């Protein structure tokens, strides 16, 4: 199962991080990433650039309103993520606890949904299965098959 | 709440204990390879190191739920295991230099505080690699290598391995005990093989990882919920190996093959649990992330410029499928070329037959029929359903319906798999 570790930092934490030499931060993160690569659990991960380069799409309006910000009352910013392939929630938690972050920072850990998460009895899911079967029958009539993938 | 407070309190305690137990298992999963590797270097005895690690794990399972998970679980487990090693030797009255060395190491570690890194990470990585090579040693049977690798490198518990392979726990326990005995008797040194042997031994390691993956991928029988997990475990092992041996092209080739194969998992089985043929799979359900990772690994394998090995070539075939928007849009000549190369370095009748399927798409059914018929004498294909099944497809495309029906009927009679038989009988009845 896959879990996403979402890095959330307060403005204070971001400021505090700026006080630590960049080299030191990079090294700590690098070692953390390396440990997850060595264990074979890291499948993706990116840092996000400063929020000033981002923007907000607000769906309160129709059509949705695109603004440079402000971020309103949000005191925490998402500024990076990792996606881990692990065997349990506890394993995800164990890796998350090893992240070299300081006070004011949080990691939000969320399970990434897979196919099994969608209800098999949902009307649209069933409709899609129906289309798929028709398509399969149509192709079976026109192609020579091939090996089971 | 009708059951009353006492029951609820029991339930709460049980849940807390269960959660602590899972935390212990999670730490073990992450750290066990490094711990056992370190202990093996210290004790010079792989079997002893593995036992000590398991004993330390048992202690953790008993203590952590009540005393809390230590900040550095790996250091805790290693220290406990080293103390057990010293006790073990004391009992055997073998107070030699090794005990002294271990004792000094423990003291240093305790002085430095439990949170200090108890080892040199660079050395550890080498140790883990040695561990991989030891668990996959050629003196062991293929089954023993698989069990030992899952246990000591992946950190799976005996019960998990037994469940994954649908065999009794006692069988797996026995396999592991015998494997450790065999390694001890053969006096297998704890080392990465010398340069000259490296490639041959690496082949055994890759074979073990591929066997683990295939067991999950084939999903042959029984309660199959654990099977995809097993494939993912194999991918984690392959990633681990790629991190440990970044200069070996075929390691990246194997990783690429596994990622590109696992990418199709979401589309391989329909809502009724029936297998879906590659031609019929909904490619929108393929895992793009896995395809990206697989392609990146293949690019690394190609980057060595020394030609591709068998795993990388199979990965190249899988990548060609992944690149195609649908079955008809597949770059068949590229797949034929990959099979040509595969036949040169790893010839087998099954590869030749798969190549024939690609040829039928690239050059038409007549060219393919000639290849299929030339394979009729192969012993490896004489009993299975593969040859008549492919022959049926090719004949049907040539419009030779009666012969196609015959071939499908023969294939149906030969297959051991009920679902496959149903598909083949349906084709026989339809005349294609």
């Amino acid at each position: 199962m896959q879990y996403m570790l979402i890095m959330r930092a307060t403005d204070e934490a971001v400021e505090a991080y700026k006080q630590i030499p960049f080299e030191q931060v990079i090294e700590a993160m690098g070692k953390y990433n390396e440990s997850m690569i060595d264990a074979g659990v890291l499948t993706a991960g990116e840092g996000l650039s400063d929020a000033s380069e981002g923007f907000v799409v607000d769906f309160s309006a129709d059509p949705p309103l695109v603004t440079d910000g402000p971020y309103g009352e949000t005191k925490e910013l998402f500024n990076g993520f990792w996606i881990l392939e692990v065997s349990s929630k506890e394993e995800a938690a164990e890796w998350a606890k090893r992240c070299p972050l300081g006070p004011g920072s949080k990691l939000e850990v969320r399970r990434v949904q897979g196919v099994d998460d969608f209800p098999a009895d949902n009307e649209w899911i069933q409709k899609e299965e129906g289309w798929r079967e028709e398509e399969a029958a149509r192709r079976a009539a026109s192609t020579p098959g091939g090996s089971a993938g | 709440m009708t059951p009353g407070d006492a029951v609820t309190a029991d339930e709460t305690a049980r849940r807390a204990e269960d959660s602590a137990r899972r935390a212990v298992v999670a730490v073990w999963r992450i750290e066990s390879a490094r711990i056992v590797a370190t202990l093996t270097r210290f004790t010079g005895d792989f079997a002893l190191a593995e036992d000590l690690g398991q004993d330390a794990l048992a202690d953790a399972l008993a203590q952590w739920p009540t005393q809390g998970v230590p900040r550095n679980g790996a250091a805790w487990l290693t220290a406990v295991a080293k103390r057990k090693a010293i006790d073990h030797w004391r009992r055997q009255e073998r107070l030699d230099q090794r005990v002294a060395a271990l004792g000094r190491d423990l003291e240093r570690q305790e002085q430095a505080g439990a949170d200090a890194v108890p080892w040199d990470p660079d050395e550890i990585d080498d140790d883990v690699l040695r561990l991989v090579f030891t668990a996959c040693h050629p003196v062991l049977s293929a089954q023993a290598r698989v069990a030992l690798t899952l246990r000591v490198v992946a950190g799976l518990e005996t019960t998990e391995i037994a469940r994954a392979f649908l065999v009794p726990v006692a069988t797996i326990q026995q396999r592991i005990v015998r494997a450790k005995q065999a390694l001890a008797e053969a006096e297998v040194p704890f080392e990465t093989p010398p340069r000259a042997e490296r490639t041959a031994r690496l082949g055994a390691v890759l074979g073990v990882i591929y066997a683990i993956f295939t067991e999950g991928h084939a999903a042959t029988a029984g309660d199959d919920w654990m099977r995809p997990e097993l494939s993912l475990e194999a991918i984690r092992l392959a990633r681990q190996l790629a991190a440990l041996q970044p200069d070996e092209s075929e390691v990246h080739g194997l990783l690429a093959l596994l990622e590109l194969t696992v990418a199709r998992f979401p589309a391989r089985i329909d809502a009724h649990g029936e297998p879906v043929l590659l031609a019929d799979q909904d490619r929108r359900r393929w895992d793009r992330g896995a395809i990206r990772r697989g392609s990146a690994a293949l690019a690394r394998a190609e980057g060595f410029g020394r030609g591709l090995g068998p795993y990388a070539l199979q990965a190249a075939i899988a990548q060609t499928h992944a690149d195609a928007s649908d079955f008809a849009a597949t770059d068949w000549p590229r797949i034929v070329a990959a099979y040509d190369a595969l036949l040169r370095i790893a010839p087998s009748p099954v590869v030749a037959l798969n190549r024939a399927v690609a040829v039928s798409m690239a050059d038409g059914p007549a060219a393919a029929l000639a290849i299929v018929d030339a394979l009729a004498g192969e012993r490896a294909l004489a009993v299975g359903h593969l040859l008549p099944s492919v022959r049926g497809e090719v004949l049907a495309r040539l419009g030779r319906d009666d012969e196609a029906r015959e071939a499908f009927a023969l294939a149906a009679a030969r297959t051991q798999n009920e679902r496959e038989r149903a598909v083949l009988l349906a084709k026989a009845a339809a005349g294609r």
Side-chain angles (χ1 to χ4, degrees):
Chain A
M1 56 187 90
Q2 291 196 323
Y3 278 85
M4 185 183 227
L5 275 49
I6 305 161
M7 198 166 17
R8 300 187 344 196
T10 57
D11 293 345
E12 288 77 10
V14 172
E15 278 310 308
Y17 252 91
K18 285 180 183 162
Q19 306 307 311
I20 307 170
F22 183 66
E23 285 293 312
Q24 210 175 309
V25 174
I26 282 288
E27 191 188 336
M29 270 304 166
K31 279 187 174 164
Y32 177 57
N33 290 338
E34 192 177 30
S35 71
M36 293 192 291
I37 291 167
D38 287 352
V41 296
L42 185 66
T43 65
E46 301 293 344
L48 304 183
S49 70
D50 198 81
S52 62
E53 291 180 47
F55 54 89
V56 172
V57 181
D58 186 343
F59 293 87
S60 309
D62 186 18
L65 190 64
V66 181
T67 64
D68 287 344
Y71 281 73
E73 291 308 301
T74 309
K75 291 288 182 226
E76 291 178 346
L77 282 180
F78 293 175
N79 47 16
F81 69 90
W82 295 266
I83 292 179
L84 307 188
E85 180 78 63
V86 291
S87 59
S88 66
K89 183 180 165 188
E90 286 77 13
E91 195 182 336
E94 190 55 40
W95 281 113
K97 285 191 322 200
R98 292 163 190 231
C99 190
L101 293 174
S105 293
K106 284 178 190 165
L107 277 183
E108 180 179 338
V109 183
R110 304 278 298 272
R111 191 171 64 79
V112 178
Q113 281 193 331
V115 213
D116 298 343
D117 288 304
F118 297 100
D121 58 353
N122 177 283
E123 182 196 349
W124 286 98
I125 301 287
Q126 283 178 344
K127 246 185 201 172
E128 198 176 316
E129 293 301 338
W131 294 331
R132 220 169 267 146
E133 277 163 28
E134 281 170 33
E135 179 74 359
R138 195 182 61 74
R139 282 193 189 164
S142 63
T143 67
S147 60
Chain B
M1 282 287 142
T2 41
D5 288 349
V7 175
T8 313
D10 275 359
E11 178 64 16
T12 311
R14 198 191 58 75
R15 278 200 194 143
E17 201 182 305
D18 195 42
S19 145
R21 196 193 66 81
R22 284 204 303 254
V24 176
V25 171
V27 171
W28 182 253
R29 177 68 71 96
I30 296 171
E31 300 290 357
S32 60
R34 293 154 65 89
I35 292 168
V36 174
T38 309
L39 291 170
T40 308
R41 176 156 46 81
F42 270 111
T43 62
D45 182 340
F46 166 77
L48 175 63
E50 219 270 316
D51 289 343
L52 295 170
Q54 290 290 327
D55 286 352
L57 173 64
D59 279 15
L61 283 167
Q63 292 179 31
W64 293 6
T66 52
Q67 294 168 12
V69 179
R71 187 162 158 71
N72 189 336
W76 190 97
L77 287 162
T78 313
V80 167
K82 282 180 182 173
R83 247 176 250 128
K84 283 176 189 294
I86 293 174
D87 291 346
H88 170 85
W89 279 316
R90 285 223 171 97
R91 275 198 306 277
Q92 296 201 338
E93 295 179 2
R94 279 180 45 195
L95 278 160
D96 58 9
Q97 291 168 329
R98 207 155 243 161
V99 179
L102 259 181
R104 273 198 306 277
D105 186 71
L106 263 179
E107 249 170 51
R108 236 193 347 262
Q109 199 176 307
E110 272 154 18
Q111 274 167 9
D115 284 355
V117 178
W119 45 46
D120 173 358
D122 291 335
E123 201 165 18
I124 290 293
D125 286 348
D126 283 353
D127 283 345
V128 173
L129 188 59
R130 279 182 212 129
L131 192 66
V132 173
F133 276 105
T134 306
C136 299
H137 198 278
V139 298
L140 303 175
S141 71
Q143 282 181 333
R145 286 182 219 166
V146 164
L148 210 53
T149 302
L150 284 174
R151 162 91 161 244
V152 300
V153 185
L156 259 61
E157 291 176 280
T158 314
T159 48
E160 290 177 286
I161 303 172
R163 196 167 53 208
F165 287 95
L166 309 170
V167 296
V169 173
T171 308
I172 294 295
Q173 273 167 346
Q174 220 170 30
R175 258 179 220 169
I176 290 171
V177 168
R178 286 206 191 125
K180 287 194 283 188
Q181 272 169 1
L183 289 174
E185 275 161 24
E187 292 180 12
V188 168
F190 184 58
E191 64 179 18
T192 45
R195 191 87 220 155
E197 280 177 41
R198 185 84 52 94
T199 315
R201 288 285 300 282
L202 188 68
V205 173
L206 298 177
V208 166
I209 296 174
Y210 191 61
I212 293 168
F213 182 83
T214 310
E215 187 59 34
H217 176 233
T220 40
D223 177 14
D224 63 6
W225 71 269
M226 182 72 191
R227 301 310 188 80
E229 295 295 313
L230 203 53
S231 290
L232 293 176
E233 207 57 62
I235 291 187
R236 283 166 57 159
L237 285 167
R239 287 190 195 130
Q240 216 172 337
L241 191 62
L244 293 168
Q245 292 251 274
D247 299 332
E248 297 285 352
S249 165
E250 237 340 43
V251 173
H252 301 290
L254 176 69
L255 178 57
L257 175 60
L258 303 194
E259 293 276 17
L260 288 162
T261 307
V262 88
R264 293 188 205 155
F265 276 20
R268 279 182 74 229
I269 291 178
D270 69 13
H272 314 291
E274 300 291 329
V276 183
L277 297 180
L278 176 61
D280 303 329
Q281 287 175 11
D282 179 354
R283 293 172 185 226
R284 286 169 303 178
R285 300 180 85 185
W286 286 0
D287 179 344
R288 304 321 297 186
I291 290 173
R292 211 165 36 244
R293 290 192 295 276
S295 299
L298 183 58
R300 281 194 79 171
E302 286 166 341
F304 291 94
R306 292 188 226 117
L308 297 180
Y311 292 117
L313 283 169
Q314 292 175 74
I317 292 165
Q319 193 199 32
T320 311
H321 287 301
D323 282 347
S325 56
D326 59 50
F327 192 69
T330 308
D331 183 351
W332 293 107
R334 190 174 159 215
I335 291 184
V336 173
Y339 274 122
D340 285 341
L342 195 55
L343 269 180
R344 271 196 303 277
I345 58 171
S348 96
V350 174
V351 171
L353 191 62
N354 284 334
R355 181 179 168 275
V357 174
V359 167
S360 83
M361 296 306 295
D363 305 328
L369 186 62
I371 301 168
V372 173
D373 285 342
L375 289 167
E378 292 286 350
R379 278 235 316 268
L381 299 171
V383 286
H385 68 282
L386 283 176
L387 186 77
S389 162
V390 172
R391 196 160 181 275
E393 302 285 359
V394 172
L395 287 166
R397 282 191 64 204
L398 286 167
R400 290 157 65 171
D401 288 351
D402 288 346
E403 291 166 87
R405 216 167 311 188
E406 240 170 75
F408 283 129
L410 177 61
R414 280 183 181 181
T415 183
Q416 302 296 315
N417 185 309
E418 286 306 323
R419 280 174 175 166
E420 215 154 35
R421 177 170 302 135
V423 171
L424 289 164
L425 284 175
K427 284 182 179 176
R432 71 160 303 282

